[in-house]
Amino acid sequence: MAQSLNYLKESASQTAGPYVHIGCTPNFAGITGVYEDDLGSGPMATEKTRGERITIRGFVYDGTGTALKDAVIEIWQADADGLYNSPSETRGAADPNFFGWARCPGDMATGEFVFETIKPGRVPFRDGRPMAPHVSFWIVARGINIGLNTRMYFSDEDAANAEDPILSRIEHRMRVPTLIGKREGDTVRFDIHLQGENETVFFDV
Amino acid sequence: MRNTPPETTPFFARDRAWHPPALTPGYKTSILRSPQRALISLEGTRSEITGPVFGHNILGEFDNDLIVNYAKPGEMAIGERILVHGRVLDERGRGVAGALVEFWQANAGGRYRHKKESYLAALDPNFGGFGRTITDEEGNYVFRTIRPGAYPWPNGVNDWRPAHIHFSVFGHGFAQRLITQMYFEGDPMIWICPIVKTIPDEDAVKGLIAALDMNNNIPHDMRAYKFDIVLRGRRSTLFENRKEGN
Ligand SMILES: [Fe+2]
């Protein structure tokens, strides 16, 4: 026997279920008058935010290729200089006009999610090498037992992507494009495939 | 807030054998929504160890009172009045201060206020079914609500959810993000629920069952249930395996 470590176990995850909108985006669900706005809704950049404006759009597809209409997607990203607006960010103060987190329910008719944001700067990996610009995604829905983590990188960052420490460790190279948002003008298209030939790479973060 | 410096170490690895796997055929919707390939391990970088922090300015006065937050002036939601309280902790047993906790639930009859809800139980005109709060410096939270009812759902032909409250919790890092459900002590429906049964470990299920906490009742008014939520812990020390010269 040895000393007890006395660690607790993380609370087990359970699906967000079909009514996640009631709790997370009640105004979107048509329940108004309790919260002024849905948390994390609306444009992420104000007039004062530094950085290049982009709009991220996409769908979450199930194993038949049908778009989910009940998913909630959250994103977390650095500011234009690669700094996070978080107490755990120790390298400097992030842009005070950029919160860096947002939440969007898929459209009830089409399933599409939309984030109006800025392109993030590069953030260092643990060993100091710069990671390519990326946005962290977290996806929950009915039928998803534990939230799914992935990242969106940018198709106009070939050189940075090629040296990114996370992308370069992916053994099956044909899967790397599932993590690349396609730049079309100011729009970045990023579709997430839960299953199938183009199953998105999900991370155990 | 306390003057403890923010923590910047990575989180403990998630115990994937403790959480439900992605594919759980007893819960039919998971079949087409479960990734089939292995997750790729990503030891916490700054993108995962940082996360948004919410201020009390987002909270309204009645956000943690589901009995009145949707009710007409002077009216109240119908049902068994309960107080749900507990702590948000991390795996080291430390309270998580300033954690945003969101919750949603069915009304006393088991009916959700949602367009896609088809259960014939009546809506309560005074019950919205959701709220939120932020933990104090020790990680404590509390809210007032009514005990939700059980409800049938389309999975098997005769599947019912036990009474439960959904929880969405933010810690201090995006990798701590968690959605889970709280069940009620003594409910025989818990152990036959296909969604509960997605959790492979019995002790992990017990960790989601709130205990009746008679000591914290409000006499002649409300019974209390205590529900602690554990988020991932952080490594205590930071020794980087950084290459020399970097
Ligand atoms: Fe539910």
Side-chain angles (χ1 to χ4, degrees), chain A residues 7-15 19 22 31 34-35 39 62-63 70 74 76 84 86-88 90-91 103 126-127 131 134 142-143 145 151 169 194-196 199 202-205, chain B residues 6-7 14-16 18-21 24 27 30-37 40-42 44-45 47-48 50 91 100 102 104 112 130-132 177 179-181 183 195 230 232 240:
Chain A
Y7 288 130
L8 304 175
K9 294 292 285 186
E10 186 185 12
S11 297
S13 174
Q14 291 269 261
T15 181
Y19 308 121
I22 295 176
I31 315 175
V34 181
Y35 301 161
L39 195 67
D62 72 11
D70 55 4
E74 293 182 1
W76 172 240
Y84 283 101
S86 160
S88 298
T90 51
R91 293 168 300 148
R103 172 188 276 167
R126 302 189 54 70
D127 61 8
M131 296 189 280
H134 64 274
R142 176 174 64 99
N145 289 325
R151 283 184 175 188
R169 74 162 60 158
L194 300 179
Q195 283 180 4
E199 181 178 312
F202 296 104
F203 293 105
D204 192 4
V205 300
Chain B
E7 295 190 285
R14 211 162 219 162
D15 182 352
R16 295 274 169 179
W18 175 260
H19 288 285
T24 49
Y27 175 24
S30 76
I31 294 175
L32 285 169
R33 294 184 171 194
S34 44
Q36 296 173 337
R37 307 194 188 188
I40 293 188
S41 300
L42 197 172
T45 72
S47 304
E48 289 74 36
T50 57
E91 289 169 293
L100 175 64
E102 301 165 295
W104 64 100
Y112 281 99
F130 61 95
R132 60 188 173 185
R177 197 76 182 81
I179 281 185
T180 188
Q181 301 182 25
Y183 303 97
I195 287 178
V230 182
R232 297 168 68 181
E240 286 287 9

XYZ file of all heavy atoms in Angstrom, chain A residues 7-15 19 22 31 34-35 39 62-63 70 74 76 84 86-88 90-91 103 126-127 131 134 142-143 145 151 169 194-196 199 202-205, chain B residues 6-7 14-16 18-21 24 27 30-37 40-42 44-45 47-48 50 91 100 102 104 112 130-132 177 179-181 183 195 230 232 240:
762
model
N -7.379 11.962 -5.190
C -7.946 12.683 -6.324
C -9.437 12.364 -6.448
O -9.872 11.253 -6.150
C -7.255 12.281 -7.624
C -5.853 12.797 -7.770
C -4.815 11.944 -8.119
C -5.565 14.142 -7.566
C -3.507 12.415 -8.258
C -4.266 14.624 -7.695
C -3.248 13.762 -8.044
O -1.974 14.235 -8.182
N -10.178 13.315 -6.907
C -11.570 13.080 -7.267
C -11.606 12.665 -8.733
O -10.659 12.904 -9.478
C -12.395 14.358 -7.079
C -12.364 14.993 -5.692
C -13.121 16.322 -5.708
C -12.976 14.052 -4.669
N -12.707 12.064 -9.152
C -12.883 11.744 -10.567
C -13.737 12.836 -11.204
O -14.713 13.321 -10.617
C -13.597 10.396 -10.727
C -12.805 9.201 -10.245
C -11.586 8.916 -11.100
C -11.946 8.264 -12.431
N -10.737 7.876 -13.191
N -13.399 13.184 -12.424
C -14.205 14.158 -13.166
C -15.651 13.661 -13.251
O -15.893 12.460 -13.414
C -13.638 14.306 -14.586
C -14.313 15.405 -15.398
C -13.822 15.461 -16.850
O -13.132 14.534 -17.295
O -14.170 16.444 -17.529
N -16.610 14.565 -13.138
C -18.011 14.169 -13.330
C -18.168 13.599 -14.732
O -17.666 14.175 -15.698
C -18.945 15.373 -13.176
O -18.867 15.888 -11.869
N -18.866 12.466 -14.830
C -19.044 11.838 -16.138
C -19.887 12.740 -17.035
O -20.846 13.371 -16.581
C -19.717 10.476 -15.985
N -19.542 12.779 -18.289
C -20.307 13.555 -19.258
C -21.638 12.854 -19.551
O -21.749 11.635 -19.469
C -19.494 13.671 -20.551
O -20.258 14.295 -21.561
N -22.633 13.636 -19.892
C -23.882 13.114 -20.432
C -24.262 13.983 -21.621
O -23.925 15.175 -21.666
C -24.996 13.147 -19.384
C -24.800 12.151 -18.245
C -25.461 10.804 -18.544
O -26.551 10.499 -18.096
N -24.784 9.974 -19.344
N -25.000 13.409 -22.548
C -25.373 14.152 -23.753
C -26.074 15.473 -23.414
O -26.795 15.562 -22.418
C -26.281 13.311 -24.661
O -26.598 14.083 -25.825
C -27.578 12.916 -23.973
N -32.756 19.336 -25.973
C -33.269 20.612 -25.475
C -32.162 21.511 -24.932
O -32.408 22.399 -24.116
C -34.346 20.361 -24.411
C -35.418 19.420 -24.901
C -35.690 18.228 -24.239
C -36.129 19.698 -26.069
C -36.654 17.340 -24.721
C -37.089 18.824 -26.558
C -37.342 17.647 -25.883
O -38.291 16.779 -26.358
N -32.665 25.244 -24.673
C -33.398 25.885 -23.573
C -32.417 26.470 -22.570
O -32.581 27.589 -22.097
C -34.335 24.863 -22.878
C -35.419 24.397 -23.851
C -34.947 25.469 -21.613
C -36.325 23.303 -23.281
N -37.665 31.356 -26.086
C -38.038 31.662 -24.700
C -37.372 32.981 -24.332
O -36.205 33.042 -23.950
C -37.594 30.552 -23.727
C -37.918 29.169 -24.294
C -38.282 30.745 -22.378
C -37.399 28.029 -23.434
N -36.106 36.277 -20.198
C -35.326 35.885 -19.020
C -33.902 36.410 -19.157
O -33.428 37.156 -18.307
C -35.351 34.357 -18.811
C -34.546 33.983 -17.568
C -36.798 33.860 -18.669
N -33.212 36.039 -20.235
C -31.885 36.597 -20.512
C -32.038 37.647 -21.612
O -32.740 37.413 -22.602
C -30.911 35.532 -21.016
C -30.660 34.361 -20.101
C -30.127 33.174 -20.613
C -30.934 34.424 -18.736
C -29.874 32.084 -19.796
C -30.693 33.333 -17.915
C -30.163 32.162 -18.446
O -29.916 31.087 -17.646
N -26.004 33.945 -24.441
C -24.572 34.061 -24.170
C -23.776 33.632 -25.404
O -24.030 32.575 -25.975
C -24.229 33.160 -22.984
C -22.876 33.389 -22.324
C -22.836 34.743 -21.627
C -22.587 32.271 -21.325
N -23.986 14.061 -39.919
C -23.970 12.733 -39.290
C -23.482 11.686 -40.301
O -23.059 12.018 -41.416
C -25.349 12.380 -38.698
C -26.410 12.061 -39.753
O -26.077 11.899 -40.950
O -27.598 11.952 -39.374
N -23.540 10.428 -39.908
C -22.982 9.358 -40.721
C -23.701 9.119 -42.041
O -23.174 8.418 -42.913
N -29.719 20.265 -34.533
C -29.874 20.490 -33.087
C -28.537 20.608 -32.365
O -28.479 20.508 -31.150
C -30.718 19.369 -32.464
C -30.154 17.985 -32.746
O -29.070 17.880 -33.356
O -30.799 16.994 -32.354
N -19.397 25.677 -29.954
C -18.682 26.763 -29.280
C -17.279 26.852 -29.861
O -16.676 25.838 -30.197
C -18.588 26.511 -27.770
C -19.935 26.576 -27.077
C -19.879 26.388 -25.572
O -18.762 26.228 -25.026
O -20.937 26.397 -24.943
N -13.344 28.942 -29.428
C -12.423 29.661 -28.539
C -11.164 29.939 -29.345
O -10.635 29.028 -29.982
C -12.113 28.789 -27.327
C -11.036 29.295 -26.407
C -9.872 28.656 -26.094
C -11.037 30.511 -25.623
N -9.149 29.398 -25.186
C -9.838 30.544 -24.889
C -11.934 31.578 -25.503
C -9.508 31.593 -24.036
C -11.609 32.626 -24.655
C -10.419 32.621 -23.926
N -4.619 34.990 -25.807
C -5.955 34.601 -25.347
C -6.444 35.551 -24.261
O -5.673 35.949 -23.369
C -5.932 33.164 -24.804
C -5.914 32.141 -25.908
C -4.726 31.510 -26.280
C -7.075 31.806 -26.585
C -4.713 30.565 -27.308
C -7.071 30.867 -27.605
C -5.891 30.251 -27.967
O -5.885 29.325 -28.976
N -7.733 35.407 -21.332
C -7.934 34.446 -20.253
C -6.937 34.725 -19.148
O -5.796 35.119 -19.422
C -7.696 33.030 -20.797
O -7.418 32.101 -19.767
N -7.334 34.515 -17.877
C -6.377 34.708 -16.781
C -5.144 33.801 -16.911
O -4.088 34.123 -16.374
C -7.184 34.338 -15.530
C -8.605 34.473 -15.933
C -8.673 34.159 -17.397
N -5.295 32.671 -17.607
C -4.155 31.766 -17.755
C -3.224 32.173 -18.888
O -2.242 31.479 -19.160
C -4.652 30.330 -17.996
O -5.397 29.876 -16.892
N -0.343 34.222 -19.899
C 0.695 34.913 -19.121
C 1.660 35.696 -19.993
O 2.581 36.324 -19.484
C 1.520 33.878 -18.325
O 1.953 32.850 -19.231
C 0.694 33.264 -17.216
N 1.445 35.681 -21.327
C 2.436 36.331 -22.183
C 2.157 37.807 -22.399
O 2.993 38.522 -22.952
C 2.504 35.621 -23.541
C 3.046 34.199 -23.453
C 2.803 33.476 -24.759
N 1.372 33.436 -25.042
C 0.845 33.457 -26.258
N 1.624 33.523 -27.307
N -0.461 33.402 -26.411
N -20.714 31.097 -29.008
C -21.561 29.905 -29.058
C -22.596 30.125 -30.137
O -23.183 31.216 -30.223
C -22.232 29.766 -27.692
C -23.291 28.702 -27.592
C -24.007 28.805 -26.245
N -23.282 28.111 -25.177
C -23.555 28.262 -23.875
N -24.491 29.107 -23.483
N -22.878 27.597 -22.968
N 3.806 24.043 -26.975
C 4.416 23.882 -25.648
C 5.926 24.057 -25.669
O 6.512 24.477 -24.680
C 4.039 22.520 -25.078
C 2.530 22.335 -24.976
C 2.168 21.093 -24.218
N 2.806 21.083 -22.916
C 2.484 21.883 -21.916
N 1.500 22.741 -22.067
N 3.126 21.823 -20.782
N 6.551 23.709 -26.786
C 8.015 23.828 -26.847
C 8.450 25.163 -27.459
O 9.625 25.360 -27.719
C 8.610 22.659 -27.629
C 8.125 22.611 -29.067
O 7.444 23.566 -29.513
O 8.414 21.615 -29.755
N 2.411 27.580 -33.473
C 1.354 26.811 -34.139
C 0.776 27.696 -35.246
O 0.869 28.928 -35.180
C 0.253 26.419 -33.147
C 0.745 25.483 -32.038
S -0.598 24.788 -31.007
C -0.932 26.154 -29.889
N -5.353 29.029 -35.669
C -6.422 28.025 -35.573
C -7.484 28.504 -34.598
O -7.228 29.358 -33.747
C -5.865 26.675 -35.119
C -5.295 26.707 -33.726
N -3.998 27.077 -33.476
C -5.857 26.462 -32.514
C -3.778 27.036 -32.169
N -4.890 26.687 -31.562
N -27.658 16.188 -29.151
C -28.321 14.903 -28.908
C -27.511 13.808 -29.595
O -27.057 13.978 -30.732
C -29.721 15.016 -29.523
C -30.583 13.813 -29.495
C -31.978 14.200 -30.016
N -31.958 14.621 -31.405
C -32.282 13.833 -32.444
N -32.669 12.600 -32.244
N -32.237 14.291 -33.677
N -27.291 12.718 -28.935
C -26.555 11.613 -29.560
C -25.042 11.719 -29.430
O -24.341 10.777 -29.778
N -22.284 11.824 -26.716
C -22.231 11.546 -25.277
C -21.230 12.411 -24.530
O -21.382 12.630 -23.330
C -21.891 10.072 -25.043
C -23.047 9.158 -25.412
O -24.218 9.514 -25.216
N -22.739 7.987 -25.947
N -10.176 21.392 -34.159
C -9.601 22.698 -34.461
C -9.856 23.001 -35.920
O -9.832 22.090 -36.748
C -8.081 22.695 -34.271
C -7.612 22.763 -32.853
C -6.092 22.860 -32.831
N -5.609 23.043 -31.472
C -4.342 23.314 -31.163
N -3.427 23.409 -32.121
N -3.979 23.478 -29.906
N 1.732 15.931 -36.679
C 1.795 14.634 -36.003
C 0.674 13.693 -36.456
O 0.568 12.571 -35.976
C 1.749 14.808 -34.490
C 0.373 15.173 -33.946
C 0.262 14.900 -32.450
N 1.249 15.684 -31.692
C 1.114 15.970 -30.393
N 0.083 15.517 -29.717
N 2.021 16.696 -29.774
N -19.116 13.894 -38.567
C -18.998 13.056 -37.372
C -18.538 11.636 -37.711
O -17.977 10.948 -36.854
C -20.338 12.997 -36.623
C -20.881 14.347 -36.142
C -22.224 14.153 -35.442
C -19.896 15.030 -35.194
N -18.819 11.215 -38.925
C -18.490 9.851 -39.363
C -18.231 9.869 -40.856
O -18.516 10.842 -41.535
C -19.688 8.906 -39.155
C -19.939 8.451 -37.769
C -21.147 7.525 -37.708
O -21.743 7.176 -38.726
N -21.504 7.131 -36.506
N -17.772 8.732 -41.356
C -17.682 8.541 -42.806
C -16.276 8.733 -43.321
O -15.329 8.951 -42.573
N -14.486 11.719 -42.079
C -14.649 11.985 -40.650
C -13.582 12.987 -40.179
O -12.396 12.809 -40.412
C -14.539 10.681 -39.841
C -14.733 10.898 -38.345
C -14.676 9.610 -37.521
O -15.349 8.632 -37.906
O -13.949 9.575 -36.522
N -10.912 14.440 -34.533
C -11.266 14.974 -33.205
C -10.121 14.692 -32.251
O -9.419 13.686 -32.389
C -12.580 14.357 -32.710
C -13.761 14.711 -33.569
C -14.294 13.781 -34.459
C -14.323 15.978 -33.526
C -15.362 14.112 -35.279
C -15.396 16.318 -34.349
C -15.914 15.387 -35.222
N -9.964 15.582 -31.289
C -8.811 15.498 -30.388
C -9.231 15.096 -28.986
O -10.295 15.464 -28.494
C -8.105 16.851 -30.322
C -7.460 17.267 -31.600
C -8.040 18.259 -32.396
C -6.283 16.678 -32.035
C -7.442 18.651 -33.578
C -5.678 17.074 -33.230
C -6.267 18.059 -34.004
N -8.344 14.362 -28.325
C -8.446 14.130 -26.892
C -7.579 15.214 -26.269
O -6.368 15.062 -26.195
C -7.917 12.722 -26.566
C -8.258 12.300 -25.158
O -8.975 13.052 -24.454
O -7.811 11.215 -24.749
N -8.181 16.327 -25.876
C -7.379 17.479 -25.454
C -7.059 17.403 -23.961
O -7.775 16.801 -23.206
C -8.095 18.820 -25.749
C -8.352 18.944 -27.234
C -9.371 18.973 -24.964
N -3.163 33.002 -11.522
C -3.844 32.063 -12.419
C -2.946 30.865 -12.719
O -1.728 30.990 -12.747
C -4.092 32.880 -13.680
C -3.150 34.031 -13.598
C -2.899 34.289 -12.154
N -3.567 29.721 -12.904
C -2.799 28.515 -13.170
C -2.589 28.347 -14.668
O -3.483 28.634 -15.462
C -3.526 27.310 -12.599
C -3.617 27.372 -11.094
C -4.115 26.078 -10.511
O -5.320 25.811 -10.621
O -3.304 25.316 -9.981
N -7.932 13.049 -19.596
C -9.301 12.630 -19.343
C -9.358 11.101 -19.307
O -8.768 10.444 -20.169
C -10.178 13.128 -20.480
C -11.576 13.437 -20.069
C -12.298 14.320 -21.083
N -13.131 15.286 -20.377
C -13.616 16.395 -20.917
N -13.342 16.696 -22.164
N -14.384 17.197 -20.202
N -10.050 10.542 -18.310
C -10.192 9.084 -18.207
C -11.353 8.658 -19.107
O -12.513 8.696 -18.715
C -10.452 8.691 -16.751
C -10.553 7.184 -16.573
O -10.568 6.455 -17.594
O -10.634 6.739 -15.416
N -11.020 8.263 -20.299
C -12.059 7.958 -21.300
C -12.826 6.681 -20.979
O -13.874 6.426 -21.572
C -11.421 7.866 -22.688
C -10.843 9.205 -23.171
C -11.897 10.058 -23.840
N -11.445 11.422 -24.082
C -12.204 12.348 -24.673
N -13.424 12.065 -25.086
N -11.743 13.569 -24.839
N -14.037 6.135 -18.077
C -14.970 6.593 -17.031
C -16.156 7.311 -17.675
O -17.302 7.163 -17.241
C -14.183 7.533 -16.118
C -14.901 8.248 -15.029
C -15.341 9.540 -15.050
C -15.210 7.737 -13.725
N -15.907 9.868 -13.838
C -15.843 8.772 -13.004
C -15.029 6.505 -13.087
C -16.280 8.614 -11.692
C -15.466 6.366 -11.781
C -16.090 7.418 -11.094
N -15.885 8.049 -18.721
C -16.933 8.750 -19.463
C -17.627 7.773 -20.408
O -17.073 6.729 -20.747
C -16.314 9.877 -20.300
C -15.860 11.030 -19.473
N -16.728 11.937 -18.923
C -14.625 11.422 -19.095
C -16.041 12.847 -18.243
N -14.767 12.559 -18.324
N -18.813 8.127 -20.883
C -19.436 7.266 -21.901
C -18.620 7.280 -23.191
O -18.089 8.327 -23.568
C -20.814 7.901 -22.120
C -20.761 9.251 -21.519
C -19.637 9.280 -20.522
N -18.508 6.141 -23.850
C -17.879 6.149 -25.172
C -18.801 6.849 -26.168
O -19.980 7.087 -25.874
C -17.740 4.664 -25.509
C -18.808 3.984 -24.709
C -19.015 4.821 -23.473
N -22.837 4.172 -28.349
C -23.586 3.450 -27.319
C -24.914 3.045 -27.943
O -25.901 3.789 -27.858
C -23.821 4.377 -26.098
O -24.337 5.638 -26.571
C -22.529 4.626 -25.333
N -28.493 3.795 -26.871
C -28.955 5.171 -27.096
C -28.830 5.387 -28.597
O -27.767 5.694 -29.123
C -28.080 6.136 -26.297
C -28.345 7.615 -26.517
C -29.577 8.095 -26.979
C -27.366 8.552 -26.225
C -29.798 9.448 -27.164
C -27.572 9.908 -26.402
C -28.783 10.354 -26.874
O -28.998 11.700 -27.050
N -26.882 7.921 -30.924
C -25.405 7.943 -30.927
C -24.838 7.171 -32.112
O -23.681 7.373 -32.480
C -24.855 7.380 -29.614
O -24.949 5.969 -29.581
N -25.630 6.284 -32.695
C -25.065 5.392 -33.716
C -24.538 6.182 -34.909
O -23.436 5.931 -35.384
C -26.102 4.327 -34.135
C -26.400 3.397 -32.937
C -25.584 3.514 -35.326
C -27.498 2.381 -33.173
N -25.292 7.144 -35.402
C -24.847 7.915 -36.568
C -24.110 9.203 -36.190
O -23.671 9.932 -37.067
C -26.045 8.259 -37.456
C -26.593 7.112 -38.297
C -27.931 7.487 -38.917
C -25.592 6.727 -39.389
N -23.984 9.444 -34.900
C -23.341 10.701 -34.480
C -22.046 10.457 -33.709
O -21.526 11.378 -33.073
C -24.332 11.522 -33.638
C -25.535 11.988 -34.461
C -26.480 12.877 -33.687
N -27.481 13.473 -34.560
C -28.260 14.492 -34.225
N -28.170 15.023 -33.028
N -29.126 14.978 -35.086
N -21.547 9.243 -33.740
C -20.333 8.910 -32.993
C -19.151 8.780 -33.934
O -19.183 7.983 -34.863
C -20.544 7.591 -32.254
O -21.171 6.632 -33.098
N -18.107 9.566 -33.701
C -16.890 9.365 -34.493
C -16.397 7.930 -34.322
O -16.495 7.356 -33.238
C -15.903 10.365 -33.876
C -16.765 11.399 -33.240
C -17.980 10.678 -32.757
N -15.886 7.369 -35.415
C -15.475 5.972 -35.373
C -13.972 5.809 -35.309
O -13.471 4.727 -35.057
C -16.042 5.247 -36.601
C -17.565 5.226 -36.550
C -18.219 4.680 -37.804
O -17.623 4.687 -38.871
N -19.439 4.214 -37.658
N -13.253 6.894 -35.576
C -11.793 6.778 -35.558
C -11.269 7.254 -34.206
O -11.953 7.959 -33.480
C -11.206 7.609 -36.694
C -11.870 7.199 -38.005
C -11.149 7.697 -39.203
N -11.961 7.408 -40.387
C -11.545 7.584 -41.628
N -10.338 8.040 -41.860
N -12.330 7.299 -42.648
N -7.270 11.916 -31.590
C -5.829 12.170 -31.631
C -5.446 12.957 -30.379
O -6.070 13.971 -30.051
C -5.449 12.904 -32.940
C -5.698 11.895 -34.081
C -4.004 13.404 -32.889
C -5.222 12.315 -35.426
N -4.466 12.434 -29.656
C -4.088 13.040 -28.376
C -3.411 14.377 -28.600
O -2.546 14.512 -29.462
C -3.134 12.116 -27.624
O -3.773 10.886 -27.400
N -3.819 15.339 -27.813
C -3.291 16.690 -27.948
C -3.033 17.189 -26.536
O -3.933 17.678 -25.867
C -4.328 17.553 -28.672
C -3.925 18.873 -29.297
C -5.075 19.430 -30.115
C -3.462 19.881 -28.298
N -2.330 19.455 -23.609
C -2.763 20.846 -23.539
C -1.742 21.881 -23.981
O -0.678 22.012 -23.389
N -2.100 22.627 -25.018
C -1.334 23.809 -25.400
C -2.074 25.016 -24.810
O -3.106 24.873 -24.159
C -1.253 23.969 -26.929
O -2.532 24.380 -27.423
C -0.849 22.652 -27.597
N -3.973 26.875 -26.194
C -5.335 26.924 -26.732
C -6.303 26.113 -25.879
O -7.503 26.377 -25.896
C -5.350 26.386 -28.167
O -4.434 27.102 -28.962
N -5.803 25.141 -25.134
C -6.674 24.300 -24.312
C -6.637 24.698 -22.833
O -7.619 24.534 -22.120
C -6.275 22.822 -24.432
C -6.601 22.204 -25.793
C -5.666 22.658 -26.897
O -4.463 22.836 -26.606
O -6.129 22.864 -28.024
N -6.198 27.688 -21.620
C -6.896 28.962 -21.410
C -8.381 28.752 -21.693
O -8.777 27.775 -22.319
C -6.359 30.043 -22.368
O -6.514 29.568 -23.707
C -4.899 30.353 -22.106
N -10.322 17.953 -9.950
C -9.961 16.608 -9.495
C -8.977 16.609 -8.331
O -8.751 15.585 -7.709
C -9.388 15.802 -10.669
C -10.441 15.417 -11.696
C -9.806 14.864 -12.958
O -9.128 15.635 -13.679
O -9.968 13.660 -13.212
N -18.908 29.545 -14.506
C -20.286 29.723 -14.976
C -20.963 28.353 -15.043
O -20.435 27.414 -15.646
C -20.297 30.366 -16.363
C -21.676 30.489 -17.016
C -22.595 31.414 -16.225
C -21.548 30.971 -18.465
N -24.647 26.635 -16.042
C -25.968 26.822 -16.660
C -26.766 25.532 -16.450
O -26.189 24.455 -16.477
C -25.825 27.094 -18.162
C -24.997 28.330 -18.491
C -24.557 28.366 -19.953
O -23.773 27.480 -20.362
O -24.984 29.259 -20.680
N -30.791 23.464 -17.167
C -32.107 23.462 -17.798
C -32.792 22.159 -17.487
O -32.158 21.139 -17.186
C -32.023 23.734 -19.296
C -31.299 22.718 -20.137
C -31.853 21.734 -20.897
C -29.873 22.613 -20.349
N -30.880 21.024 -21.559
C -29.647 21.541 -21.236
C -28.763 23.307 -19.862
C -28.370 21.151 -21.657
C -27.492 22.923 -20.272
C -27.306 21.862 -21.164
N -40.886 19.919 -21.459
C -39.949 21.002 -21.766
C -40.660 22.084 -22.560
O -41.533 21.802 -23.392
C -38.793 20.500 -22.629
C -37.721 19.762 -21.876
C -37.693 18.372 -21.851
C -36.719 20.453 -21.206
C -36.693 17.686 -21.177
C -35.711 19.779 -20.531
C -35.703 18.394 -20.519
O -34.720 17.720 -19.857
N -34.977 27.100 -17.126
C -33.525 27.263 -17.230
C -33.046 28.392 -16.327
O -33.820 29.254 -15.920
C -33.101 27.547 -18.671
C -33.701 28.808 -19.240
C -33.014 30.003 -19.200
C -34.976 28.797 -19.798
C -33.574 31.166 -19.718
C -35.544 29.955 -20.311
C -34.844 31.148 -20.271
N -31.750 28.352 -16.037
C -31.135 29.386 -15.226
C -29.629 29.253 -15.278
O -29.091 28.400 -15.999
N -28.961 30.129 -14.537
C -27.495 30.087 -14.518
C -26.994 30.830 -13.294
O -27.689 31.657 -12.708
C -26.911 30.705 -15.787
C -27.291 32.157 -15.982
C -26.846 32.687 -17.348
N -27.368 34.028 -17.555
C -27.234 34.719 -18.687
N -26.613 34.176 -19.728
N -27.736 35.931 -18.802
N -14.355 22.122 -20.330
C -15.767 22.303 -20.692
C -16.512 20.988 -20.535
O -16.061 19.941 -21.018
C -15.802 22.783 -22.144
C -17.079 23.392 -22.579
C -17.296 24.786 -22.064
N -18.609 25.201 -22.554
C -19.761 24.840 -21.970
N -19.770 24.141 -20.861
N -20.916 25.222 -22.498
N -20.628 19.117 -20.205
C -22.083 19.075 -20.068
C -22.437 17.727 -19.452
O -21.906 16.688 -19.839
C -22.793 19.296 -21.424
C -22.793 20.805 -21.757
C -24.215 18.743 -21.405
C -23.558 21.193 -23.001
N -23.306 17.770 -18.422
C -23.700 16.524 -17.788
C -25.133 16.656 -17.271
O -25.834 17.616 -17.611
C -22.693 16.128 -16.678
O -23.015 14.820 -16.207
C -22.701 17.112 -15.529
N -25.603 15.668 -16.517
C -26.960 15.693 -15.988
C -26.924 15.270 -14.524
O -26.128 14.415 -14.143
C -27.880 14.745 -16.782
C -27.936 15.106 -18.269
C -28.869 14.223 -19.078
O -29.808 13.645 -18.552
N -28.602 14.123 -20.368
N -29.081 13.622 -11.379
C -30.230 12.780 -11.046
C -30.522 12.919 -9.558
O -29.763 13.551 -8.825
C -29.932 11.333 -11.446
C -29.592 11.241 -12.922
C -28.260 11.212 -13.360
C -30.593 11.271 -13.883
C -27.944 11.185 -14.717
C -30.286 11.241 -15.242
C -28.963 11.200 -15.645
O -28.655 11.188 -16.984
N -29.766 6.504 -21.424
C -28.740 7.555 -21.455
C -27.811 7.427 -20.248
O -26.594 7.565 -20.373
C -29.398 8.946 -21.563
C -29.935 9.109 -23.001
C -28.420 10.058 -21.216
C -30.658 10.392 -23.291
N -17.378 17.840 -10.599
C -15.911 17.784 -10.623
C -15.425 18.013 -12.049
O -15.826 17.301 -12.974
C -15.392 16.435 -10.094
C -13.859 16.421 -10.095
C -15.940 16.144 -8.700
N -11.907 18.685 -14.610
C -10.544 18.156 -14.676
C -9.574 18.974 -13.829
O -9.674 20.189 -13.759
C -10.068 18.173 -16.134
C -10.893 17.277 -16.991
C -10.626 17.515 -18.432
N -9.283 17.105 -18.804
C -8.789 17.226 -20.036
N -9.529 17.768 -20.989
N -7.586 16.809 -20.306
N 8.655 21.897 -18.200
C 8.474 21.733 -19.641
C 9.541 20.820 -20.204
O 10.709 20.924 -19.839
C 8.575 23.095 -20.339
C 7.369 23.964 -20.116
C 6.161 23.493 -20.903
O 6.218 22.400 -21.485
O 5.172 24.226 -20.930
